[in-house]
Amino acid sequence: LESSGSYVGRVGYRTPTGRWLARSELDTTGLHRHQPALLFLPEKDLLTSLKEAVRMEEEQFGTIRTHYGSPLATTPTTVEEIHIPPKSIHSLGRLTFSDGTLSS
């Protein structure tokens, strides 16, 4: 990730009128693991990294499962509907994909 992005040093919070509420200077090297840092990445690099992290989690630890639709589908898999139980505390639900399959 670090080779694809760049660290930002001068950060802070502004009011809606543009005045600074707070300013800070962050680590711009990424070398100080106990210091806060902010890394900006191009979107494609972020997506590639996320996909790789998901693949590793799924294969090495089994803590997540992914669903890419039917391997026999001739069209891309898209989400057609999201089912969220009305009394769900955690807002967990199921996805209906365009090939008719459901997430688990």
Side-chain angles (χ1 to χ4, degrees):
L1 287 178
E2 291 176 332
S3 63
S4 301
S6 59
Y7 283 99
V8 176
R10 299 174 77 194
V11 297
Y13 294 97
R14 291 182 183 251
T15 66
T17 62
R19 287 190 33 237
W20 285 102
L21 286 174
R23 292 186 198 190
S24 187
E25 193 75 28
L26 299 177
D27 174 31
T28 57
T29 65
L31 301 175
H32 305 98
R33 295 294 175 208
H34 299 290
Q35 296 286 333
L38 180 61
L39 179 66
F40 275 94
L41 294 169
E43 184 177 0
K44 69 176 181 66
D45 294 325
L46 177 61
L47 291 174
T48 300
S49 298
L50 287 173
K51 287 177 184 177
E52 178 63 20
V54 165
R55 187 192 61 75
M56 284 177 51
E57 277 294 320
E58 186 174 34
E59 291 177 1
Q60 294 179 8
F61 306 107
T63 54
I64 61 172
R65 280 191 324 188
T66 55
H67 175 82
Y68 296 101
S70 169
L72 303 174
T74 57
T75 58
T77 299
T78 57
V79 174
E80 293 291 326
E81 197 170 359
I82 301 172
H83 301 281
I84 299 175
K87 304 233 184 226
S88 176
I89 296 171
H90 303 291
S91 298
L92 298 177
R94 296 180 76 178
L95 305 175
T96 302
F97 298 100
S98 58
D99 64 1
T101 58
L102 291 172
S103 65
S104 51

